[in-house]
Amino acid sequence: MSDSMLAVVKAAPAPGADVRQVAVPSFGPADVLVKVKVASVCGTDLHIYKWDQWAQGRIHPPLIPGHEFCGHVAAIGSEVTTVKEGDFVSAEMHVACGKCYQCRTGEQHICQNVKIIGVDANGAFAEYVVIPETNIWKLDSSIPEEYASILDPLGNAVHTVLAGEIAGRTIAITGCGPIGLFSIAVARASGATKVFAIDVNEHRRKIAEQMKADFVLDPTTQDAFSIVMDQTNGVGVDVVAEMAGKTDAIRLGFQVLRRGGRMSLLGIPSRPVELNFADDIIFKGALVQGINGRVMYKTWYQMTALVAAGKLDLHPVITDRMAMKNFSQGMERLQTGEASKILLYPNGRM
Amino acid sequence: MSDSMLAVVKAAPAPGADVRQVAVPSFGPADVLVKVKVASVCGTDLHIYKWDQWAQGRIHPPLIPGHEFCGHVAAIGSEVTTVKEGDFVSAEMHVACGKCYQCRTGEQHICQNVKIIGVDANGAFAEYVVIPETNIWKLDSSIPEEYASILDPLGNAVHTVLAGEIAGRTIAITGCGPIGLFSIAVARASGATKVFAIDVNEHRRKIAEQMKADFVLDPTTQDAFSIVMDQTNGVGVDVVAEMAGKTDAIRLGFQVLRRGGRMSLLGIPSRPVELNFADDIIFKGALVQGINGRVMYKTWYQMTALVAAGKLDLHPVITDRMAMKNFSQGMERLQTGEASKILLYPNGRM
Amino acid sequence: MSDSMLAVVKAAPAPGADVRQVAVPSFGPADVLVKVKVASVCGTDLHIYKWDQWAQGRIHPPLIPGHEFCGHVAAIGSEVTTVKEGDFVSAEMHVACGKCYQCRTGEQHICQNVKIIGVDANGAFAEYVVIPETNIWKLDSSIPEEYASILDPLGNAVHTVLAGEIAGRTIAITGCGPIGLFSIAVARASGATKVFAIDVNEHRRKIAEQMKADFVLDPTTQDAFSIVMDQTNGVGVDVVAEMAGKTDAIRLGFQVLRRGGRMSLLGIPSRPVELNFADDIIFKGALVQGINGRVMYKTWYQMTALVAAGKLDLHPVITDRMAMKNFSQGMERLQTGEASKILLYPNGRM
Amino acid sequence: MSDSMLAVVKAAPAPGADVRQVAVPSFGPADVLVKVKVASVCGTDLHIYKWDQWAQGRIHPPLIPGHEFCGHVAAIGSEVTTVKEGDFVSAEMHVACGKCYQCRTGEQHICQNVKIIGVDANGAFAEYVVIPETNIWKLDSSIPEEYASILDPLGNAVHTVLAGEIAGRTIAITGCGPIGLFSIAVARASGATKVFAIDVNEHRRKIAEQMKADFVLDPTTQDAFSIVMDQTNGVGVDVVAEMAGKTDAIRLGFQVLRRGGRMSLLGIPSRPVELNFADDIIFKGALVQGINGRVMYKTWYQMTALVAAGKLDLHPVITDRMAMKNFSQGMERLQTGEASKILLYPNGRM
């Protein structure tokens, strides 16, 4: 193993990022060093790249971003017992403190002191990444590498869709970014009987159709509310998976939700949302869930089982594959709105 | 039985109400005629009296209001089998259609076509009221009449507090109208270990203290957020019961709610609420429940059991008792903010 | 409409049954008269036919059996509003009292006073059957008639499989009679990732393979325990659906259930079961559910949605179709163990 | 600190135990050394003392037993951060592996590889005991020492009673050993409206009355079934907490359980149980839960909150207090059936 490696580096508190040689990271006795095979790009990475308000408040350069990946174990710390060199792995990148109330009661996914690798510490847009053994997720070699690299966002979709009943139920997915698109697959595989995918972006709607949503709706040109109500006998959908993080999408979601239905909110609004609480939540008897990350590690078990059983076809979501050195081109593709999930190959071989 | 009876009548689409003689109502084969012993006044009755915007959109005069009461069965329809003349009863005043999706799946409390007696049909501010047998709730004679007359709002409190875990848990109650005050008693009886009662009104806070809330807070003069956090080791409360229906109270409720906590919303905001969904719901992993009415009839069984077992001391909430003919004086008392629950006696004897 | 109709009649407290002309039944104002298109045979019907101990204690001849069917509305009572002549329907044949604790709390499927049409009152093995409007289940004409006739046992399977999490989960189904076989389809459609079907009968195992169970096991010749444990990384299955009602099957089910897993018991043992409660339930932290009937009407909504969406292929289970007049031949087929679900056609046209 | 300490030692694979001087144990970097203030005796300790069949199969002498205690931190390992010398603590004595499926999904209380301190490793019947930091439970000094020493069995009661709804519900507790007796207090504090305590032993029933169970029944002389049914309007109890581990008690529990009720099984039968699964579980639609240990650490938070709030009066259960050197006398007291919970004082001062 060389002492240096290629990595994407957010070097300064300003827009952009470099791809350059840095030192291979050192690791502790409870850590695992992973040689990254494939990493994938998240909207968060674009926020960091563009250096927007959120990034300015959260990121401390220099930082290697990247929190979606798979690879093989290159080396292990002296206390590590559950994986060995060569194992095929991915990882949960939310590192919980293990000591707060939430961690002590099985809710590490909402830990008060969580650190995210790739956001708060150096991440996976590099040839090597260091992961605590607790957070390593060992994979069977039968799992396709492309899928193994996107388990983080797929886990968001699994967590959201399976946060309540879904079999024999109808679902509206508002927002068809990668997680919304994955949610179509998860809902279908889990027995959802009508899946409504709603997005304002034509490229996203096109992929939603490839994902076999039963109804793909453009709320800017179609009366999405009426179409959903017609298709549900005037009752509304049983479940809404909110993936857009936009006020309009959240409002539409509540409107199409049936009385007593479940609203699972994953998309993060960047500003306060004004909502008619009386009609949309209270009189409706709605159940509203804030969804964060992936349940450790229940979501990972369910997700891996679904992937291993061949229940999910996620290929339409993967629109771009490129060598990691071309990271900036990937950022541009993402900004056009034409790309969905972009895979990066640190060693340049796809 | 006389042919006429005294009743409060909202005679015209304008502020005010009359107390006058009207015909004793006729009833059908599946109905029960109840001679009202005690009725109690709800904030809804004040809306109707003042003829505010909500009332103008919902109420069709002439109407006898009143939806909280107890009394004795005066006569039964030919098909009625579960009660007989003389039985002591109260009633669920939300009459569900029985045929919509929600009714067919055990959620009559959020029926799409609900009619409320006292709002959509003549109610209990009268010597007699007609109730469908399905909605009659038979009471043991050991239940005090005063308590029997307030089961409707007590049921709101029971539904809200018991909509999730409460034993060994902390709870903040935002808004100390009668339902909020009842919630203190229900929470204490159900094992809540710290009850925070929060209200801007001094009279209400005084009663909250009599109800033995562990902490009674005035958010206009105290740093309620810091006090709650200090008392919960910085974690926040496990449960919030939102009874105020005001934006400030809702926001404070979400702020003091711990990660993964339960926010049960019962108070009805009269206008849209602007909230930081990202921090207050999503990252927090909050569970938000819209609470409506009483679960038919689970809430009634639990509530009756709690009352019959002597687990609830509700007396401090009952601030006023008066003959029904003095209804307008009751409305004035309510508007001063000094009265909490007002009991009306149709026959004038208290 | 003729005054008489063909029906299967259990005329006397003895083995056997007649097929003969009887009067078309009269019906009340809240009833629906249905012209039966297809009826299907349940194991219960065989108990009645053979006049075994259970039948002797429960059945009061003369009786027309049959509780699985579909047909079209022939006439409605004067108070019926939700269906009209010609509508395609099936029905929930458990008629709940509506007044007991369970009925009043949304658990009509475990009503204290349930009457079963086809067991306690004349049923569907006839040209016409009378059903209370409350129990009629209206169907879209797109639902295949064959499937519409088996919704009762399919509902048992849906109730059982969906009584907890199933997506991304493994399940063992012990007992592959029709309900066990349907459960394979329901589990697969709902995202179960490994389905183990276990039965001692070769014919049943053959159909289980056609239903695409992932593993079909014969516990008399295979080490079912070891196979299940191997396939679940030594953890055991997440869910067991017990459909056999035999001590050996129940014990095997508990053995293969993982710690913290769900054991859903539907099969009815005819005698007491001896079980190692310490290891199989308590130390294991198992959740054991008694499953009865179909949840009214949640199960019906979910089931209908799954069928209408084309999520279930049930054809392999339907092994025999015959004119109703040949009922006794059907009973013989059932006793050989070669037939699974037998469909009967009252009018002789298949 | 001296190098040696007094301890109860099970020195050989035979009945009895010694109290003698042994070396103060060494501890690792993640461990906490606790100076025991009060320890309490469990039925398990009697099994070990008597060297019965279970003990012979599980215990590997020499062993210091004892798994219920409180004390103060005497020293901490180099990696310990959450407690410091002098802190008042108790501990969860089930040490979970942290790596099995159950541990990885928040169910450490049913860990596949659990080790119990005091059973599988040296325990708390000694002046000092070593506990991993993860398992230490820090206590406020306001918690009474006597209560702090019995949190382990109190936690069993809290886990059992709070494993589902209890407020406004009726409960039968079958078996009034210490955990059954604690369950009376927990149920009352959590809003149970009728508590039936059932035991064959007169001493236990006497304490059950002191714990204020609403009905204390002797099934050998009273018709417990009829009494419970009479007191529940013929419906049966909502919840049964089974604490006896005897076939008769389990059967009675199922008989008095209402349809759709919850049966929480904690008592460990020493041999297989024969039960009428058809009537007692399946037709009844019962929910049966195997209860094991305490949920880590949800149960501990709830239990501590209840104790700190003064919601539980547990004094009647503590029947004996003695210096630890008199351990054998404690064992004899326990065998008479007259003692309930016995507290031991390692330093001899009570």
Side-chain angles (χ1 to χ4, degrees):
Chain A
M1 196 189 304
S2 165
D3 288 349
S4 75
M5 66 176 188
L6 199 66
V8 174
V9 180
K10 181 75 178 182
D18 301 335
V19 181
R20 65 187 190 198
Q21 289 290 322
V22 299
V24 169
S26 59
F27 55 94
D31 291 331
V32 176
L33 182 73
V34 182
K35 183 167 172 51
V36 179
K37 187 65 184 289
V38 190
S40 73
V41 179
C42 173
T44 300
D45 300 314
L46 183 57
H47 290 298
I48 297 172
Y49 183 81
K50 291 165 70 177
W51 200 240
D52 67 9
Q53 198 176 346
W54 172 84
Q56 292 173 35
R58 176 74 178 260
I59 304 298
H60 300 284
L63 175 83
I64 300 172
H67 56 275
E68 308 175 0
F69 80 102
C70 68
H72 294 86
V73 174
I76 60 175
S78 58
E79 298 170 1
V80 171
T81 63
T82 54
V83 286
K84 63 179 191 306
E85 203 182 312
D87 281 350
F88 182 43
V89 299
S90 181
E92 167 60 57
M93 300 294 253
H94 288 202
V95 181
C97 76
K99 299 186 174 178
C100 72
Y101 176 86
Q102 282 71 22
C103 284
R104 294 276 279 178
T105 55
E107 304 206 302
Q108 299 101 305
H109 63 291
I110 45 173
C111 167
Q112 295 173 30
N113 312 302
V114 68
K115 299 288 175 194
I116 304 179
I117 304 175
V119 172
D120 303 309
N122 284 335
F125 291 163
E127 289 185 82
Y128 295 93
V129 61
V130 175
I131 307 287
E133 179 187 14
T134 51
N135 283 52
I136 282 285
W137 190 254
K138 198 173 162 180
L139 291 166
D140 191 89
S141 60
S142 68
I143 305 283
E145 284 178 1
E146 295 199 337
Y147 287 15
S149 74
I150 54 178
L151 294 177
D152 177 294
L154 178 60
N156 292 137
V158 168
H159 182 188
T160 306
V161 173
L162 300 187
E165 295 195 341
I166 190 65
R169 299 300 192 178
T170 53
I171 183 171
I173 297 164
T174 50
C176 293
I179 300 173
L181 293 168
F182 291 154
S183 296
I184 298 171
V186 175
R188 281 175 49 85
S190 305
T193 50
K194 287 192 183 178
V195 178
F196 300 86
I198 304 174
D199 202 296
V200 299
N201 177 298
E202 183 184 355
H203 299 289
R204 293 175 166 201
R205 288 199 307 276
K206 193 170 170 187
I207 304 175
E209 280 170 6
Q210 293 168 348
M211 297 301 287
K212 299 184 184 164
D214 297 289
F215 299 87
V216 177
L217 305 176
D218 176 1
T220 64
T221 62
Q222 292 176 287
D223 182 353
F225 173 76
S226 297
I227 293 170
V228 173
M229 296 311 276
D230 281 355
Q231 287 293 333
T232 56
N233 298 316
V235 171
V237 291
D238 298 303
V239 182
V240 174
E242 209 302 296
M243 305 299 192
K246 304 288 184 190
T247 293
D248 285 352
I250 291 172
R251 286 185 186 164
L252 176 60
F254 275 105
Q255 284 163 15
V256 300
L257 186 68
R258 73 157 164 83
R259 286 170 177 250
R262 164 165 68 100
M263 164 62 76
S264 298
L265 296 167
L266 182 94
I268 307 293
S270 56
R271 58 179 64 90
V273 173
E274 194 183 70
L275 187 75
N276 183 336
F277 272 49
D279 288 341
D280 285 341
I281 300 181
I282 302 169
F283 289 128
K284 187 165 266 188
L287 186 75
V288 185
Q289 305 170 314
I291 304 284
N292 200 30
R294 295 144 298 280
V295 180
M296 300 176 205
Y297 282 87
K298 175 184 166 188
T299 301
W300 287 87
Y301 282 104
Q302 291 180 297
M303 168 168 60
T304 307
L306 286 168
V307 170
K311 296 271 183 181
L312 305 176
D313 178 8
L314 310 174
H315 282 114
V317 186
I318 303 172
T319 54
D320 296 66
R321 295 164 181 81
M322 59 182 67
M324 190 178 74
K325 65 180 179 186
N326 302 321
F327 179 71
S328 295
Q329 292 172 30
M331 291 296 101
E332 282 162 32
R333 278 284 295 157
L334 217 51
Q335 293 188 66
T336 63
E338 290 171 27
S340 185
K341 190 50 83 178
I342 299 175
L343 305 191
L344 301 178
Y345 292 79
N347 68 5
R349 286 190 300 275
M350 286 163 263
Chain B
M1 192 188 306
S2 165
D3 287 350
S4 75
M5 66 175 189
L6 199 67
V8 175
V9 180
K10 180 75 179 182
D18 302 334
V19 181
R20 65 186 189 197
Q21 289 289 321
V22 298
V24 170
S26 59
F27 55 94
D31 290 332
V32 176
L33 183 73
V34 182
K35 184 167 173 47
V36 178
K37 188 67 183 290
V38 191
S40 74
V41 178
C42 173
T44 299
D45 301 315
L46 183 58
H47 290 297
I48 296 173
Y49 183 81
K50 291 167 68 177
W51 200 241
D52 67 8
Q53 198 176 346
W54 171 83
Q56 293 174 34
R58 175 73 178 259
I59 305 298
H60 300 283
L63 177 83
I64 300 171
H67 56 274
E68 307 176 0
F69 81 103
C70 69
H72 294 86
V73 173
I76 60 174
S78 58
E79 298 170 1
V80 171
T81 63
T82 53
V83 288
K84 62 179 191 306
E85 205 182 310
D87 281 350
F88 182 44
V89 299
S90 182
E92 167 58 58
M93 299 295 252
H94 287 203
V95 181
C97 76
K99 298 185 174 179
C100 73
Y101 175 86
Q102 282 72 21
C103 285
R104 295 276 278 178
T105 55
E107 303 206 303
Q108 297 101 306
H109 63 291
I110 45 172
C111 168
Q112 295 174 29
N113 312 299
V114 68
K115 300 288 176 195
I116 304 178
I117 303 175
V119 172
D120 303 307
N122 284 335
F125 290 164
E127 290 184 81
Y128 295 93
V129 61
V130 176
I131 306 288
E133 180 187 13
T134 49
N135 283 52
I136 282 285
W137 190 255
K138 199 173 163 179
L139 291 166
D140 192 89
S141 60
S142 68
I143 305 282
E145 284 177 3
E146 295 199 338
Y147 286 15
S149 75
I150 54 176
L151 294 177
D152 176 293
L154 177 60
N156 292 137
V158 169
H159 182 186
T160 306
V161 174
L162 301 187
E165 295 194 341
I166 189 67
R169 300 299 191 177
T170 53
I171 183 171
I173 296 164
T174 50
C176 293
I179 300 173
L181 293 167
F182 291 152
S183 296
I184 298 170
V186 175
R188 281 175 50 84
S190 305
T193 51
K194 288 194 182 176
V195 177
F196 301 87
I198 305 173
D199 202 297
V200 298
N201 177 298
E202 183 183 355
H203 299 288
R204 294 176 164 200
R205 289 199 306 276
K206 193 171 169 188
I207 304 175
E209 279 170 7
Q210 294 167 346
M211 297 300 287
K212 300 184 183 163
D214 298 288
F215 299 87
V216 177
L217 306 176
D218 176 1
T220 64
T221 63
Q222 293 175 286
D223 182 354
F225 172 78
S226 296
I227 293 169
V228 174
M229 297 310 276
D230 281 354
Q231 287 292 333
T232 56
N233 298 317
V235 171
V237 291
D238 298 303
V239 181
V240 174
E242 209 301 297
M243 304 298 192
K246 305 288 184 191
T247 293
D248 285 353
I250 292 171
R251 284 185 187 162
L252 175 60
F254 275 104
Q255 283 163 15
V256 299
L257 185 67
R258 75 157 161 82
R259 288 171 176 249
R262 165 166 68 100
M263 164 62 75
S264 297
L265 297 167
L266 182 94
I268 306 292
S270 56
R271 58 178 64 90
V273 173
E274 194 183 70
L275 187 76
N276 183 337
F277 272 48
D279 287 341
D280 286 342
I281 300 181
I282 301 169
F283 288 128
K284 188 165 266 189
L287 186 74
V288 185
Q289 304 170 313
I291 305 283
N292 200 29
R294 295 144 297 280
V295 180
M296 300 176 205
Y297 281 86
K298 174 185 166 186
T299 301
W300 287 87
Y301 282 104
Q302 290 180 297
M303 167 169 60
T304 307
L306 287 167
V307 171
K311 297 271 184 181
L312 305 176
D313 177 9
L314 310 175
H315 282 114
V317 185
I318 302 172
T319 53
D320 296 67
R321 294 164 181 82
M322 59 182 66
M324 189 179 75
K325 65 180 178 184
N326 301 323
F327 179 71
S328 294
Q329 293 172 30
M331 291 296 102
E332 282 163 31
R333 279 283 294 158
L334 217 52
Q335 293 187 66
T336 64
E338 291 171 26
S340 185
K341 191 49 85 178
I342 299 175
L343 303 191
L344 300 178
Y345 292 79
N347 68 4
R349 287 189 300 275
M350 285 163 265
Chain C
M1 196 190 302
S2 166
D3 287 351
S4 74
M5 66 175 188
L6 198 67
V8 174
V9 180
K10 181 74 178 183
D18 301 335
V19 181
R20 64 186 190 198
Q21 289 289 322
V22 299
V24 170
S26 60
F27 56 94
D31 290 333
V32 176
L33 182 73
V34 181
K35 184 165 172 50
V36 178
K37 187 66 184 288
V38 191
S40 74
V41 179
C42 173
T44 300
D45 301 313
L46 183 58
H47 290 299
I48 296 172
Y49 183 82
K50 292 167 70 178
W51 201 242
D52 67 8
Q53 199 176 344
W54 171 84
Q56 293 174 35
R58 175 74 178 260
I59 304 297
H60 300 284
L63 176 83
I64 299 172
H67 56 275
E68 307 176 358
F69 81 102
C70 67
H72 294 85
V73 174
I76 60 174
S78 58
E79 298 170 2
V80 172
T81 64
T82 53
V83 286
K84 62 180 192 306
E85 205 182 311
D87 281 350
F88 182 43
V89 299
S90 182
E92 168 58 59
M93 300 296 253
H94 287 203
V95 181
C97 76
K99 299 185 175 180
C100 72
Y101 175 85
Q102 283 71 22
C103 284
R104 295 275 279 177
T105 54
E107 304 206 304
Q108 298 101 305
H109 63 290
I110 46 172
C111 168
Q112 295 174 29
N113 311 300
V114 68
K115 299 290 176 193
I116 304 178
I117 303 175
V119 172
D120 303 309
N122 283 336
F125 290 164
E127 289 185 82
Y128 294 93
V129 61
V130 176
I131 307 287
E133 180 188 13
T134 50
N135 284 51
I136 281 285
W137 189 255
K138 199 173 161 179
L139 292 166
D140 191 89
S141 60
S142 68
I143 305 282
E145 284 178 1
E146 295 199 338
Y147 286 15
S149 75
I150 54 178
L151 294 177
D152 176 294
L154 177 60
N156 292 137
V158 169
H159 183 187
T160 307
V161 174
L162 300 188
E165 294 195 342
I166 188 65
R169 300 299 192 179
T170 53
I171 183 170
I173 296 164
T174 52
C176 294
I179 299 173
L181 294 167
F182 291 152
S183 297
I184 298 170
V186 174
R188 282 175 49 83
S190 305
T193 50
K194 287 193 183 177
V195 178
F196 301 86
I198 304 174
D199 202 296
V200 299
N201 177 298
E202 183 184 355
H203 300 288
R204 294 176 164 200
R205 289 199 306 276
K206 193 171 167 187
I207 304 175
E209 280 171 4
Q210 293 168 346
M211 296 300 287
K212 300 184 183 165
D214 297 289
F215 299 86
V216 177
L217 305 176
D218 177 1
T220 65
T221 62
Q222 293 175 286
D223 182 352
F225 172 77
S226 297
I227 293 169
V228 173
M229 296 311 275
D230 281 354
Q231 287 293 334
T232 55
N233 298 316
V235 171
V237 291
D238 298 301
V239 181
V240 173
E242 208 303 294
M243 305 298 192
K246 304 289 185 190
T247 292
D248 286 353
I250 292 171
R251 285 185 186 164
L252 176 59
F254 275 104
Q255 286 163 13
V256 299
L257 185 67
R258 72 158 163 84
R259 287 171 176 248
R262 164 166 69 101
M263 164 61 77
S264 298
L265 296 167
L266 182 94
I268 307 293
S270 56
R271 58 179 64 90
V273 173
E274 194 182 71
L275 187 75
N276 184 336
F277 272 49
D279 288 341
D280 286 340
I281 300 181
I282 301 169
F283 289 128
K284 187 165 268 189
L287 186 75
V288 185
Q289 305 169 314
I291 304 282
N292 200 30
R294 294 145 298 280
V295 180
M296 299 176 205
Y297 283 85
K298 175 184 164 185
T299 301
W300 287 87
Y301 282 105
Q302 291 179 298
M303 167 168 60
T304 306
L306 287 168
V307 170
K311 295 271 184 181
L312 306 176
D313 177 9
L314 310 174
H315 282 113
V317 186
I318 302 171
T319 54
D320 295 67
R321 294 163 182 84
M322 59 182 66
M324 189 180 75
K325 66 181 178 184
N326 301 322
F327 179 72
S328 295
Q329 292 173 28
M331 292 295 102
E332 282 163 31
R333 278 283 295 160
L334 217 52
Q335 294 188 65
T336 63
E338 291 172 25
S340 184
K341 190 49 82 179
I342 299 175
L343 304 192
L344 300 177
Y345 292 79
N347 68 3
R349 285 190 299 275
M350 286 163 264
Chain D
M1 194 189 304
S2 164
D3 287 350
S4 75
M5 66 176 188
L6 200 66
V8 175
V9 179
K10 181 76 180 182
D18 301 335
V19 182
R20 65 186 190 198
Q21 289 288 322
V22 299
V24 170
S26 60
F27 55 94
D31 290 333
V32 175
L33 182 73
V34 181
K35 183 167 174 47
V36 178
K37 186 68 184 288
V38 191
S40 75
V41 178
C42 173
T44 299
D45 300 315
L46 183 58
H47 290 298
I48 296 172
Y49 183 82
K50 293 166 68 178
W51 200 240
D52 68 8
Q53 198 175 346
W54 171 83
Q56 293 174 35
R58 176 73 178 259
I59 304 298
H60 300 284
L63 175 83
I64 300 173
H67 57 276
E68 307 176 0
F69 80 103
C70 68
H72 294 86
V73 173
I76 60 175
S78 58
E79 298 170 2
V80 172
T81 64
T82 54
V83 287
K84 62 181 190 305
E85 205 181 310
D87 281 350
F88 183 43
V89 299
S90 181
E92 166 60 57
M93 299 295 252
H94 287 203
V95 181
C97 76
K99 299 186 175 178
C100 73
Y101 175 85
Q102 282 71 23
C103 285
R104 295 274 279 178
T105 55
E107 303 205 304
Q108 298 100 307
H109 63 290
I110 44 173
C111 168
Q112 295 173 30
N113 311 301
V114 68
K115 300 289 177 194
I116 304 179
I117 303 174
V119 173
D120 303 308
N122 284 336
F125 290 164
E127 290 184 81
Y128 294 93
V129 62
V130 175
I131 306 288
E133 180 187 13
T134 50
N135 283 51
I136 281 286
W137 190 254
K138 198 173 164 180
L139 292 165
D140 191 89
S141 60
S142 68
I143 304 281
E145 284 178 2
E146 295 199 338
Y147 286 15
S149 75
I150 55 177
L151 293 177
D152 177 293
L154 177 60
N156 293 137
V158 169
H159 182 186
T160 306
V161 174
L162 301 188
E165 294 194 342
I166 189 66
R169 300 297 192 179
T170 54
I171 182 171
I173 296 164
T174 51
C176 293
I179 300 173
L181 294 167
F182 292 153
S183 296
I184 297 171
V186 174
R188 281 175 49 84
S190 305
T193 50
K194 288 193 181 177
V195 178
F196 301 86
I198 305 173
D199 202 296
V200 300
N201 178 297
E202 184 185 353
H203 299 289
R204 294 177 163 199
R205 288 199 307 275
K206 193 171 169 187
I207 304 175
E209 280 171 5
Q210 294 168 346
M211 297 299 287
K212 301 185 182 164
D214 298 288
F215 300 86
V216 177
L217 306 176
D218 176 1
T220 65
T221 64
Q222 293 175 286
D223 183 352
F225 172 77
S226 296
I227 293 169
V228 173
M229 296 310 275
D230 281 354
Q231 287 292 334
T232 55
N233 299 316
V235 171
V237 292
D238 298 303
V239 182
V240 174
E242 210 302 296
M243 305 298 193
K246 304 289 185 190
T247 293
D248 286 352
I250 292 171
R251 284 186 188 164
L252 176 59
F254 275 105
Q255 284 163 15
V256 300
L257 185 67
R258 74 158 163 81
R259 287 171 176 248
R262 165 165 68 101
M263 164 62 77
S264 297
L265 296 166
L266 182 95
I268 307 293
S270 56
R271 59 179 64 89
V273 173
E274 193 183 71
L275 187 76
N276 183 338
F277 272 48
D279 288 341
D280 286 342
I281 300 180
I282 302 170
F283 289 129
K284 187 164 267 188
L287 187 74
V288 185
Q289 304 169 314
I291 304 283
N292 200 30
R294 295 144 298 280
V295 180
M296 301 175 203
Y297 281 85
K298 175 184 165 186
T299 301
W300 287 87
Y301 282 105
Q302 291 180 298
M303 168 168 60
T304 307
L306 287 168
V307 170
K311 297 270 183 182
L312 305 176
D313 177 9
L314 310 174
H315 283 113
V317 186
I318 302 170
T319 54
D320 296 66
R321 294 164 181 82
M322 59 182 65
M324 191 179 74
K325 65 180 179 185
N326 301 322
F327 180 72
S328 294
Q329 293 172 29
M331 291 295 102
E332 282 163 31
R333 279 282 295 158
L334 216 52
Q335 292 188 68
T336 64
E338 290 171 28
S340 185
K341 190 50 81 179
I342 300 174
L343 304 191
L344 300 178
Y345 292 79
N347 68 4
R349 286 190 299 276
M350 285 164 266

